[in-house]
């Protein structure tokens, strides 16, 4: 694969949610620009590893749930033992938490805690594990994948999802403030609708009590509604989100920190 740039030459990046969607696209893009990768996911990352190899760099898998503190610790040690200190962290892993109705009465405590554990505590644990190494190296970049829901609210998900993504923006700002003097930048992107397996699974199906032709029709209607409310008239691709992530993680954004970058095609403008 022809290397477009070498912005991440010699860098070690940890990407969570790397088995598919935005996480996979990000891992492949960073690899194509020189980074070695630690791929974190609850699912098999074999396909992503193969794509990274095609891009000309190396990757190791770290199988685990980001809500488990041990996963972050294993990711840190995998980076150190295979490549060196991780200086880039991209927190993509998340739960969509789609429900037939988004009212708080449909969210039990267990569900609330699980969504926050993955979407907010997971990035906290990853950052806590990797920031000391970045500080020692005197540089680093973290990019958190929040959501338009964190800036506004979610059209399809429960209050737990919206709260987790808003909290992630708070974590982003706080870490940016705490670690900027150590040469570490912390930013976030806020996607709207992205054509990924997670989104496709959220646009109608068994969880809605519908299946077959009815589910297909519901998905079509929801996709049309999203497109009609987006200035660019379409959903994003995972690669488009990865391009924004790579910018924020790179030296091209050397004076950018604490930012929530809206990558939603004009669905939400601020």
């Amino acid at each position: 694969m022809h290397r477009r740039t070498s912005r991440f030459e010699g860098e070690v990046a940890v990407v969570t949610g790397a088995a598919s969607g935005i996480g996979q696209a990000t891992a492949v893009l960073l690899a194509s620009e020189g980074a070695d990768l630690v791929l974190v996911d609850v699912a098999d990352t074999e396909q992503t590893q193969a794509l990274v190899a095609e891009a000309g760099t190396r990757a190791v898998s770290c199988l685990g749930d980001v809500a488990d503190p041990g996963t972050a610790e294993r990711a840190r040690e995998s980076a150190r033992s295979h490549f060196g200190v991780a200086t880039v962290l991209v927190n993509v892993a998340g739960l969509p938490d789609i429900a037939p109705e988004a009212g708080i009465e449909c969210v039990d405590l267990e569900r609330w805690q699980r969504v926050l554990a993955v979407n907010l505590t997971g990035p906290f644990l990853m950052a806590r594990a990797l920031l000391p190494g970045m500080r020692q190296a005197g540089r680093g970049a973290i990019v958190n994948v929040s959501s338009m829901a964190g800036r506004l609210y979610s059209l399809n998900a429960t209050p737990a999802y919206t709260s987790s993504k808003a909290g992630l923006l708070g974590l982003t700002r706080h870490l940016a403030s705490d670690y900027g003097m150590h040469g570490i930048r912390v930013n976030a992107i806020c996607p709207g609708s992205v054509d990924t397996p997670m989104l496709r699974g959220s646009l109608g199906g068994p969880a809605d009590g519908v299946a077959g032709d009815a589910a297909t029709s519901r998905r079509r209607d929801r996709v049309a509604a999203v497109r009609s409310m987006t200035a660019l008239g379409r959903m994003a691709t995972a690669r488009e989100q990865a391009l924004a992530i790579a910018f924020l993680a790179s030296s091209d954004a050397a004076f950018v920190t604490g930012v929530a970058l809206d990558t939603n095609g004009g669905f939400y403008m601020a």
Side-chain angles (χ1 to χ4, degrees), residues 79-148:
R80 287 182 181 273
S81 62
H82 288 89
F83 311 125
V85 173
T87 51
V88 175
L89 168 62
V90 185
N91 285 307
V92 185
L95 289 178
D97 197 39
I98 304 304
E101 298 178 4
I104 198 167
E105 65 272 14
C106 72
V107 183
D108 60 33
L109 181 58
E110 182 179 2
R111 182 174 187 168
W112 170 272
Q113 291 175 330
R114 176 59 181 162
V115 173
L116 266 67
V118 174
N119 293 0
L120 182 54
T121 303
F124 158 74
L125 292 170
M126 295 300 302
R128 188 179 68 172
L130 297 182
L131 275 167
M134 293 182 187
R135 183 169 57 187
Q136 186 173 12
R139 72 184 197 284
I142 297 175
V143 183
N144 296 319
V145 176
S146 180
S147 168
M148 185 178 68

Side-chain angles (χ1 to χ4, degrees), residues 7-13 34-37 83 85-88 139-140:
R7 291 185 297 181
F8 297 99
E9 193 75 45
E11 302 290 348
V12 180
D36 291 317
L37 277 299
F83 311 125
V85 173
T87 51
V88 175
R139 72 184 197 284

